[in-house]
Amino acid sequence: GAVVSQHPSWVICKSGTSVKIECRSLDFQATTMFWYRQFPKQSLMLMATSNEGSKATYEQGVEKDKFLINHASLTLSTLTVTSAHPEDSSFYICSARVLGEGVEQYFGPGTRLTVT
Amino acid sequence: EDQVTQSPEALRLQEGESSSLNCSYTVSGLRGLFWYRQDPGKGPEFLFTLYSAGEEKEKERLKATLTKKESFLHITAPKPEDSATYLCAVQARGAGSYQLTFGKGTKLSVIP
């Protein structure tokens, strides 16, 4: 149980284009979903927290106009990187908390974004 | 501000050589401390949640313990497949959105 998927698993895009990453909870409904980014040999840094039907809450230093988050249902959240630049290249990971249960977050497999 | 410090940064063990990983934390009221395993290029895999000092949890060769200031992940007779980065994270009581603060991890390598 508590399986989270992400799509795509990797993506290469050109500078200036936008990329959408999907995060789905496959066997549970998610109260809250979280988006992280991870640079090589570094730990996870929380970018934003999203609740279904509400606007996302962004961490300090994260540009909300650049990283658009939509949490349209209890099983789907999307992260859109707009006007991507090479410095946005990173490993993006989502996690989800099970509706009505516990405090754990279950993570997706991650999406490797490379901007050329 | 919540802080998590993990040590050592990297650990090399011979197969069968038991050891412990440390996670020191500072948090304004602990709701939970979490251990995750992360393989290269993958998302973290949930291992344990610990809620209060004195609590212990076990899974196969792993045992996690918790005090008021730190947590240990004990690895007994490790195998090469235990090689991974182990992440510790804390969640503060009153964190309405249940956010996690992660340490930088300990990269464990188990040599056959």
mmCIF file of all heavy atoms in Angstrom, chain A residues 57-102:
data_model
loop_
_atom_site.group_PDB
_atom_site.id
_atom_site.type_symbol
_atom_site.label_atom_id
_atom_site.label_comp_id
_atom_site.label_asym_id
_atom_site.label_seq_id
_atom_site.Cartn_x
_atom_site.Cartn_y
_atom_site.Cartn_z
ATOM 1 N N THR A 57 1.326 26.260 -0.756
ATOM 2 C CA THR A 57 2.148 27.090 0.115
ATOM 3 C C THR A 57 3.601 26.851 -0.248
ATOM 4 O O THR A 57 4.084 25.724 -0.164
ATOM 5 C CB THR A 57 1.927 26.721 1.590
ATOM 6 O OG1 THR A 57 0.544 26.888 1.915
ATOM 7 C CG2 THR A 57 2.776 27.606 2.485
ATOM 8 N N TYR A 58 4.290 27.927 -0.636
ATOM 9 C CA TYR A 58 5.663 27.809 -1.107
ATOM 10 C C TYR A 58 6.648 28.141 0.008
ATOM 11 O O TYR A 58 6.406 29.033 0.820
ATOM 12 C CB TYR A 58 5.893 28.739 -2.296
ATOM 13 C CG TYR A 58 5.152 28.315 -3.541
ATOM 14 C CD1 TYR A 58 3.802 28.644 -3.708
ATOM 15 C CD2 TYR A 58 5.786 27.594 -4.545
ATOM 16 C CE1 TYR A 58 3.112 28.246 -4.841
ATOM 17 C CE2 TYR A 58 5.102 27.203 -5.685
ATOM 18 C CZ TYR A 58 3.765 27.525 -5.822
ATOM 19 O OH TYR A 58 3.088 27.136 -6.950
ATOM 20 N N GLU A 59 7.769 27.453 -0.004
ATOM 21 C CA GLU A 59 8.839 27.749 0.942
ATOM 22 C C GLU A 59 9.554 29.038 0.528
ATOM 23 O O GLU A 59 9.541 29.445 -0.646
ATOM 24 C CB GLU A 59 9.837 26.604 1.007
ATOM 25 C CG GLU A 59 9.246 25.327 1.570
ATOM 26 C CD GLU A 59 8.716 25.509 2.982
ATOM 27 O OE1 GLU A 59 9.512 25.820 3.892
ATOM 28 O OE2 GLU A 59 7.501 25.300 3.181
ATOM 29 N N GLN A 60 10.179 29.640 1.514
ATOM 30 C CA GLN A 60 10.902 30.887 1.258
ATOM 31 C C GLN A 60 11.963 30.659 0.195
ATOM 32 O O GLN A 60 12.709 29.674 0.246
ATOM 33 C CB GLN A 60 11.555 31.369 2.559
ATOM 34 C CG GLN A 60 12.070 32.783 2.503
ATOM 35 C CD GLN A 60 12.512 33.279 3.871
ATOM 36 O OE1 GLN A 60 12.600 32.509 4.827
ATOM 37 N NE2 GLN A 60 12.784 34.560 3.972
ATOM 38 N N GLY A 61 12.010 31.569 -0.763
ATOM 39 C CA GLY A 61 13.007 31.477 -1.821
ATOM 40 C C GLY A 61 12.551 30.714 -3.045
ATOM 41 O O GLY A 61 13.262 30.697 -4.055
ATOM 42 N N VAL A 62 11.394 30.102 -2.994
ATOM 43 C CA VAL A 62 10.861 29.367 -4.152
ATOM 44 C C VAL A 62 9.892 30.275 -4.897
ATOM 45 O O VAL A 62 8.934 30.783 -4.313
ATOM 46 C CB VAL A 62 10.142 28.078 -3.706
ATOM 47 C CG1 VAL A 62 9.538 27.362 -4.919
ATOM 48 C CG2 VAL A 62 11.095 27.159 -2.972
ATOM 49 N N GLU A 63 10.153 30.471 -6.187
ATOM 50 C CA GLU A 63 9.326 31.392 -6.982
ATOM 51 C C GLU A 63 8.002 30.724 -7.360
ATOM 52 O O GLU A 63 7.975 29.791 -8.165
ATOM 53 C CB GLU A 63 10.074 31.798 -8.244
ATOM 54 C CG GLU A 63 11.389 32.505 -8.000
ATOM 55 C CD GLU A 63 12.127 32.747 -9.309
ATOM 56 O OE1 GLU A 63 11.557 33.420 -10.188
ATOM 57 O OE2 GLU A 63 13.253 32.256 -9.469
ATOM 58 N N LYS A 64 6.924 31.232 -6.834
ATOM 59 C CA LYS A 64 5.622 30.617 -7.107
ATOM 60 C C LYS A 64 5.178 30.801 -8.555
ATOM 61 O O LYS A 64 4.413 29.986 -9.071
ATOM 62 C CB LYS A 64 4.560 31.168 -6.152
ATOM 63 C CG LYS A 64 4.356 32.648 -6.208
ATOM 64 C CD LYS A 64 3.295 33.098 -5.189
ATOM 65 C CE LYS A 64 3.767 32.878 -3.769
ATOM 66 N NZ LYS A 64 2.804 33.376 -2.756
ATOM 67 N N ASP A 65 5.669 31.841 -9.225
ATOM 68 C CA ASP A 65 5.298 32.047 -10.625
ATOM 69 C C ASP A 65 6.103 31.165 -11.561
ATOM 70 O O ASP A 65 5.730 30.975 -12.720
ATOM 71 C CB ASP A 65 5.501 33.511 -11.015
ATOM 72 C CG ASP A 65 4.546 34.428 -10.289
ATOM 73 O OD1 ASP A 65 3.437 33.957 -9.942
ATOM 74 O OD2 ASP A 65 4.900 35.596 -10.039
ATOM 75 N N LYS A 66 7.191 30.635 -11.057
ATOM 76 C CA LYS A 66 8.033 29.757 -11.877
ATOM 77 C C LYS A 66 7.644 28.291 -11.678
ATOM 78 O O LYS A 66 7.650 27.515 -12.617
ATOM 79 C CB LYS A 66 9.492 29.950 -11.505
ATOM 80 C CG LYS A 66 10.432 29.090 -12.321
ATOM 81 C CD LYS A 66 11.863 29.485 -12.109
ATOM 82 C CE LYS A 66 12.739 28.748 -13.093
ATOM 83 N NZ LYS A 66 12.429 29.070 -14.490
ATOM 84 N N PHE A 67 7.321 27.950 -10.474
ATOM 85 C CA PHE A 67 6.963 26.571 -10.142
ATOM 86 C C PHE A 67 5.473 26.550 -9.794
ATOM 87 O O PHE A 67 5.076 26.793 -8.649
ATOM 88 C CB PHE A 67 7.805 26.056 -8.978
ATOM 89 C CG PHE A 67 9.274 26.010 -9.258
ATOM 90 C CD1 PHE A 67 10.116 27.033 -8.810
ATOM 91 C CD2 PHE A 67 9.828 24.972 -9.989
ATOM 92 C CE1 PHE A 67 11.481 26.996 -9.079
ATOM 93 C CE2 PHE A 67 11.188 24.927 -10.260
ATOM 94 C CZ PHE A 67 12.019 25.945 -9.805
ATOM 95 N N LEU A 68 4.669 26.232 -10.808
ATOM 96 C CA LEU A 68 3.218 26.244 -10.634
ATOM 97 C C LEU A 68 2.743 24.881 -10.156
ATOM 98 O O LEU A 68 3.041 23.864 -10.771
ATOM 99 C CB LEU A 68 2.535 26.601 -11.955
ATOM 100 C CG LEU A 68 2.920 27.942 -12.573
ATOM 101 C CD1 LEU A 68 2.171 28.149 -13.890
ATOM 102 C CD2 LEU A 68 2.640 29.087 -11.626
ATOM 103 N N ILE A 69 1.987 24.887 -9.069
ATOM 104 C CA ILE A 69 1.494 23.644 -8.506
ATOM 105 C C ILE A 69 -0.017 23.639 -8.534
ATOM 106 O O ILE A 69 -0.666 24.598 -8.114
ATOM 107 C CB ILE A 69 2.003 23.445 -7.074
ATOM 108 C CG1 ILE A 69 3.516 23.213 -7.102
ATOM 109 C CG2 ILE A 69 1.293 22.276 -6.395
ATOM 110 C CD1 ILE A 69 4.172 23.196 -5.745
ATOM 111 N N ASN A 70 -0.577 22.537 -9.042
ATOM 112 C CA ASN A 70 -2.018 22.342 -9.088
ATOM 113 C C ASN A 70 -2.359 21.018 -8.431
ATOM 114 O O ASN A 70 -1.805 19.986 -8.788
ATOM 115 C CB ASN A 70 -2.508 22.353 -10.543
ATOM 116 C CG ASN A 70 -4.019 22.280 -10.624
ATOM 117 O OD1 ASN A 70 -4.627 21.260 -10.309
ATOM 118 N ND2 ASN A 70 -4.632 23.364 -11.016
ATOM 119 N N HIS A 71 -3.248 21.070 -7.459
ATOM 120 C CA HIS A 71 -3.653 19.850 -6.743
ATOM 121 C C HIS A 71 -5.145 19.673 -6.988
ATOM 122 O O HIS A 71 -5.972 20.047 -6.164
ATOM 123 C CB HIS A 71 -3.342 20.022 -5.253
ATOM 124 C CG HIS A 71 -3.392 18.749 -4.474
ATOM 125 N ND1 HIS A 71 -2.706 18.580 -3.299
ATOM 126 C CD2 HIS A 71 -4.042 17.588 -4.681
ATOM 127 C CE1 HIS A 71 -2.937 17.379 -2.815
ATOM 128 N NE2 HIS A 71 -3.739 16.757 -3.635
ATOM 129 N N ALA A 72 -5.450 19.105 -8.154
ATOM 130 C CA ALA A 72 -6.826 19.108 -8.651
ATOM 131 C C ALA A 72 -7.723 18.070 -7.991
ATOM 132 O O ALA A 72 -8.948 18.210 -7.974
ATOM 133 C CB ALA A 72 -6.823 18.898 -10.162
ATOM 134 N N SER A 73 -7.115 17.003 -7.468
ATOM 135 C CA SER A 73 -7.924 15.952 -6.853
ATOM 136 C C SER A 73 -7.146 15.338 -5.707
ATOM 137 O O SER A 73 -5.988 15.685 -5.477
ATOM 138 C CB SER A 73 -8.267 14.872 -7.879
ATOM 139 O OG SER A 73 -7.141 14.051 -8.137
ATOM 140 N N LEU A 74 -7.773 14.429 -4.988
ATOM 141 C CA LEU A 74 -7.113 13.793 -3.845
ATOM 142 C C LEU A 74 -6.077 12.759 -4.267
ATOM 143 O O LEU A 74 -5.450 12.139 -3.417
ATOM 144 C CB LEU A 74 -8.155 13.139 -2.931
ATOM 145 C CG LEU A 74 -8.982 14.107 -2.100
ATOM 146 C CD1 LEU A 74 -10.101 13.378 -1.378
ATOM 147 C CD2 LEU A 74 -8.115 14.845 -1.082
ATOM 148 N N THR A 75 -5.903 12.555 -5.568
ATOM 149 C CA THR A 75 -4.911 11.588 -6.034
ATOM 150 C C THR A 75 -3.934 12.172 -7.043
ATOM 151 O O THR A 75 -3.057 11.456 -7.532
ATOM 152 C CB THR A 75 -5.594 10.357 -6.678
ATOM 153 O OG1 THR A 75 -6.388 10.800 -7.792
ATOM 154 C CG2 THR A 75 -6.477 9.626 -5.678
ATOM 155 N N LEU A 76 -4.034 13.452 -7.356
ATOM 156 C CA LEU A 76 -3.183 14.027 -8.399
ATOM 157 C C LEU A 76 -2.737 15.432 -8.055
ATOM 158 O O LEU A 76 -3.553 16.300 -7.732
ATOM 159 C CB LEU A 76 -3.922 14.051 -9.733
ATOM 160 C CG LEU A 76 -3.211 14.764 -10.894
ATOM 161 C CD1 LEU A 76 -1.913 14.047 -11.253
ATOM 162 C CD2 LEU A 76 -4.123 14.870 -12.102
ATOM 163 N N SER A 77 -1.420 15.635 -8.140
ATOM 164 C CA SER A 77 -0.846 16.974 -8.043
ATOM 165 C C SER A 77 0.134 17.129 -9.200
ATOM 166 O O SER A 77 0.789 16.163 -9.599
ATOM 167 C CB SER A 77 -0.122 17.161 -6.710
ATOM 168 O OG SER A 77 0.505 18.435 -6.647
ATOM 169 N N THR A 78 0.209 18.331 -9.758
ATOM 170 C CA THR A 78 1.153 18.580 -10.838
ATOM 171 C C THR A 78 2.048 19.751 -10.509
ATOM 172 O O THR A 78 1.625 20.715 -9.845
ATOM 173 C CB THR A 78 0.427 18.856 -12.170
ATOM 174 O OG1 THR A 78 -0.398 20.017 -12.023
ATOM 175 C CG2 THR A 78 -0.416 17.675 -12.604
ATOM 176 N N LEU A 79 3.282 19.652 -10.962
ATOM 177 C CA LEU A 79 4.269 20.725 -10.841
ATOM 178 C C LEU A 79 4.671 21.123 -12.249
ATOM 179 O O LEU A 79 5.124 20.283 -13.026
ATOM 180 C CB LEU A 79 5.494 20.247 -10.061
ATOM 181 C CG LEU A 79 6.727 21.157 -10.080
ATOM 182 C CD1 LEU A 79 6.453 22.448 -9.314
ATOM 183 C CD2 LEU A 79 7.944 20.447 -9.491
ATOM 184 N N THR A 80 4.485 22.387 -12.579
ATOM 185 C CA THR A 80 4.905 22.893 -13.874
ATOM 186 C C THR A 80 6.065 23.857 -13.681
ATOM 187 O O THR A 80 5.927 24.845 -12.959
ATOM 188 C CB THR A 80 3.747 23.608 -14.612
ATOM 189 O OG1 THR A 80 2.662 22.690 -14.797
ATOM 190 C CG2 THR A 80 4.215 24.107 -15.970
ATOM 191 N N VAL A 81 7.176 23.533 -14.316
ATOM 192 C CA VAL A 81 8.331 24.427 -14.295
ATOM 193 C C VAL A 81 8.212 25.304 -15.535
ATOM 194 O O VAL A 81 8.310 24.815 -16.666
ATOM 195 C CB VAL A 81 9.653 23.639 -14.313
ATOM 196 C CG1 VAL A 81 10.836 24.596 -14.211
ATOM 197 C CG2 VAL A 81 9.693 22.626 -13.170
ATOM 198 N N THR A 82 7.973 26.588 -15.328
ATOM 199 C CA THR A 82 7.752 27.483 -16.452
ATOM 200 C C THR A 82 9.053 28.166 -16.846
ATOM 201 O O THR A 82 9.911 28.451 -16.002
ATOM 202 C CB THR A 82 6.702 28.552 -16.102
ATOM 203 O OG1 THR A 82 7.198 29.351 -15.023
ATOM 204 C CG2 THR A 82 5.398 27.906 -15.686
ATOM 205 N N SER A 83 9.206 28.413 -18.154
ATOM 206 C CA SER A 83 10.388 29.093 -18.695
ATOM 207 C C SER A 83 11.651 28.522 -18.042
ATOM 208 O O SER A 83 12.406 29.239 -17.370
ATOM 209 C CB SER A 83 10.293 30.602 -18.451
ATOM 210 O OG SER A 83 11.354 31.289 -19.091
ATOM 211 N N ALA A 84 11.822 27.234 -18.224
ATOM 212 C CA ALA A 84 12.924 26.539 -17.550
ATOM 213 C C ALA A 84 14.292 27.022 -18.020
ATOM 214 O O ALA A 84 14.477 27.370 -19.196
ATOM 215 C CB ALA A 84 12.792 25.041 -17.798
ATOM 216 N N HIS A 85 15.222 27.054 -17.089
ATOM 217 C CA HIS A 85 16.604 27.401 -17.390
ATOM 218 C C HIS A 85 17.529 26.301 -16.883
ATOM 219 O O HIS A 85 17.120 25.486 -16.027
ATOM 220 C CB HIS A 85 16.955 28.749 -16.752
ATOM 221 C CG HIS A 85 16.302 29.908 -17.420
ATOM 222 N ND1 HIS A 85 15.101 30.432 -16.977
ATOM 223 C CD2 HIS A 85 16.638 30.621 -18.525
ATOM 224 C CE1 HIS A 85 14.749 31.435 -17.763
ATOM 225 N NE2 HIS A 85 15.657 31.558 -18.712
ATOM 226 N N PRO A 86 18.756 26.252 -17.372
ATOM 227 C CA PRO A 86 19.667 25.176 -16.947
ATOM 228 C C PRO A 86 19.795 25.031 -15.434
ATOM 229 O O PRO A 86 19.946 23.910 -14.932
ATOM 230 C CB PRO A 86 20.987 25.586 -17.602
ATOM 231 C CG PRO A 86 20.570 26.289 -18.856
ATOM 232 C CD PRO A 86 19.335 27.067 -18.457
ATOM 233 N N GLU A 87 19.701 26.133 -14.704
ATOM 234 C CA GLU A 87 19.821 26.044 -13.246
ATOM 235 C C GLU A 87 18.621 25.367 -12.594
ATOM 236 O O GLU A 87 18.673 25.039 -11.392
ATOM 237 C CB GLU A 87 20.028 27.441 -12.629
ATOM 238 C CG GLU A 87 18.952 28.444 -12.966
ATOM 239 C CD GLU A 87 19.313 29.315 -14.162
ATOM 240 O OE1 GLU A 87 20.027 28.829 -15.065
ATOM 241 O OE2 GLU A 87 18.861 30.485 -14.184
ATOM 242 N N ASP A 88 17.552 25.136 -13.362
ATOM 243 C CA ASP A 88 16.394 24.391 -12.847
ATOM 244 C C ASP A 88 16.595 22.886 -12.972
ATOM 245 O O ASP A 88 15.770 22.113 -12.474
ATOM 246 C CB ASP A 88 15.119 24.788 -13.605
ATOM 247 C CG ASP A 88 14.776 26.259 -13.428
ATOM 248 O OD1 ASP A 88 14.993 26.787 -12.317
ATOM 249 O OD2 ASP A 88 14.306 26.878 -14.399
ATOM 250 N N SER A 89 17.665 22.480 -13.644
ATOM 251 C CA SER A 89 17.963 21.053 -13.768
ATOM 252 C C SER A 89 18.168 20.472 -12.375
ATOM 253 O O SER A 89 18.978 20.974 -11.589
ATOM 254 C CB SER A 89 19.224 20.849 -14.617
ATOM 255 O OG SER A 89 19.032 21.344 -15.927
ATOM 256 N N SER A 90 17.432 19.428 -12.085
ATOM 257 C CA SER A 90 17.471 18.849 -10.744
ATOM 258 C C SER A 90 16.655 17.568 -10.727
ATOM 259 O O SER A 90 16.081 17.160 -11.735
ATOM 260 C CB SER A 90 16.915 19.844 -9.720
ATOM 261 O OG SER A 90 17.109 19.386 -8.397
ATOM 262 N N PHE A 91 16.591 16.956 -9.555
ATOM 263 C CA PHE A 91 15.763 15.768 -9.316
ATOM 264 C C PHE A 91 14.564 16.249 -8.504
ATOM 265 O O PHE A 91 14.737 16.762 -7.394
ATOM 266 C CB PHE A 91 16.596 14.737 -8.563
ATOM 267 C CG PHE A 91 15.989 13.367 -8.490
ATOM 268 C CD1 PHE A 91 15.515 12.726 -9.618
ATOM 269 C CD2 PHE A 91 15.910 12.703 -7.278
ATOM 270 C CE1 PHE A 91 14.968 11.452 -9.550
ATOM 271 C CE2 PHE A 91 15.370 11.427 -7.196
ATOM 272 C CZ PHE A 91 14.899 10.805 -8.332
ATOM 273 N N TYR A 92 13.386 16.125 -9.066
ATOM 274 C CA TYR A 92 12.164 16.594 -8.397
ATOM 275 C C TYR A 92 11.402 15.380 -7.870
ATOM 276 O O TYR A 92 11.141 14.421 -8.614
ATOM 277 C CB TYR A 92 11.291 17.400 -9.361
ATOM 278 C CG TYR A 92 11.924 18.718 -9.747
ATOM 279 C CD1 TYR A 92 12.816 18.807 -10.815
ATOM 280 C CD2 TYR A 92 11.662 19.876 -9.018
ATOM 281 C CE1 TYR A 92 13.420 20.013 -11.154
ATOM 282 C CE2 TYR A 92 12.262 21.075 -9.339
ATOM 283 C CZ TYR A 92 13.141 21.136 -10.410
ATOM 284 O OH TYR A 92 13.741 22.333 -10.736
ATOM 285 N N ILE A 93 11.045 15.440 -6.592
ATOM 286 C CA ILE A 93 10.383 14.304 -5.946
ATOM 287 C C ILE A 93 9.126 14.804 -5.255
ATOM 288 O O ILE A 93 9.157 15.843 -4.583
ATOM 289 C CB ILE A 93 11.286 13.636 -4.888
ATOM 290 C CG1 ILE A 93 12.686 13.398 -5.441
ATOM 291 C CG2 ILE A 93 10.680 12.327 -4.415
ATOM 292 C CD1 ILE A 93 13.666 12.882 -4.393
ATOM 293 N N CYS A 94 8.038 14.064 -5.405
ATOM 294 C CA CYS A 94 6.817 14.406 -4.692
ATOM 295 C C CYS A 94 6.582 13.387 -3.582
ATOM 296 O O CYS A 94 7.135 12.280 -3.606
ATOM 297 C CB CYS A 94 5.612 14.462 -5.620
ATOM 298 S SG CYS A 94 5.050 12.847 -6.193
ATOM 299 N N SER A 95 5.795 13.789 -2.611
ATOM 300 C CA SER A 95 5.378 12.860 -1.566
ATOM 301 C C SER A 95 3.927 13.153 -1.222
ATOM 302 O O SER A 95 3.391 14.198 -1.580
ATOM 303 C CB SER A 95 6.259 12.982 -0.318
ATOM 304 O OG SER A 95 6.007 14.216 0.340
ATOM 305 N N ALA A 96 3.311 12.202 -0.540
ATOM 306 C CA ALA A 96 1.909 12.371 -0.189
ATOM 307 C C ALA A 96 1.656 11.800 1.197
ATOM 308 O O ALA A 96 2.315 10.852 1.630
ATOM 309 C CB ALA A 96 1.030 11.660 -1.214
ATOM 310 N N ARG A 97 0.695 12.414 1.872
ATOM 311 C CA ARG A 97 0.266 11.950 3.183
ATOM 312 C C ARG A 97 -1.118 11.349 3.035
ATOM 313 O O ARG A 97 -1.975 11.930 2.376
ATOM 314 C CB ARG A 97 0.248 13.124 4.158
ATOM 315 C CG ARG A 97 -0.165 12.750 5.549
ATOM 316 C CD ARG A 97 -0.050 13.894 6.532
ATOM 317 N NE ARG A 97 -0.891 13.601 7.683
ATOM 318 C CZ ARG A 97 -2.075 14.167 7.924
ATOM 319 N NH1 ARG A 97 -2.520 15.106 7.127
ATOM 320 N NH2 ARG A 97 -2.778 13.815 8.960
ATOM 321 N N VAL A 98 -1.319 10.196 3.633
ATOM 322 C CA VAL A 98 -2.578 9.478 3.490
ATOM 323 C C VAL A 98 -3.707 10.205 4.212
ATOM 324 O O VAL A 98 -3.573 10.563 5.394
ATOM 325 C CB VAL A 98 -2.455 8.042 4.038
ATOM 326 C CG1 VAL A 98 -3.775 7.291 3.875
ATOM 327 C CG2 VAL A 98 -1.325 7.298 3.342
ATOM 328 N N LEU A 99 -4.809 10.409 3.511
ATOM 329 C CA LEU A 99 -5.977 11.095 4.083
ATOM 330 C C LEU A 99 -6.449 10.400 5.339
ATOM 331 O O LEU A 99 -6.721 9.199 5.328
ATOM 332 C CB LEU A 99 -7.100 11.139 3.042
ATOM 333 C CG LEU A 99 -8.444 11.704 3.493
ATOM 334 C CD1 LEU A 99 -8.305 13.180 3.860
ATOM 335 C CD2 LEU A 99 -9.488 11.529 2.410
ATOM 336 N N GLY A 100 -6.493 11.149 6.425
ATOM 337 C CA GLY A 100 -7.076 10.639 7.657
ATOM 338 C C GLY A 100 -6.231 9.668 8.434
ATOM 339 O O GLY A 100 -6.679 9.125 9.443
ATOM 340 N N GLU A 101 -5.004 9.428 8.002
ATOM 341 C CA GLU A 101 -4.163 8.459 8.695
ATOM 342 C C GLU A 101 -2.769 8.995 8.919
ATOM 343 O O GLU A 101 -2.200 9.614 8.050
ATOM 344 C CB GLU A 101 -4.021 7.171 7.854
ATOM 345 C CG GLU A 101 -5.296 6.395 7.645
ATOM 346 C CD GLU A 101 -5.034 5.134 6.858
ATOM 347 O OE1 GLU A 101 -3.873 4.690 6.809
ATOM 348 O OE2 GLU A 101 -6.005 4.613 6.279
ATOM 349 N N GLY A 102 -2.200 8.735 10.062
ATOM 350 C CA GLY A 102 -0.780 8.891 10.321
ATOM 351 C C GLY A 102 -0.162 10.204 9.889
ATOM 352 O O GLY A 102 -0.807 11.121 9.405
#
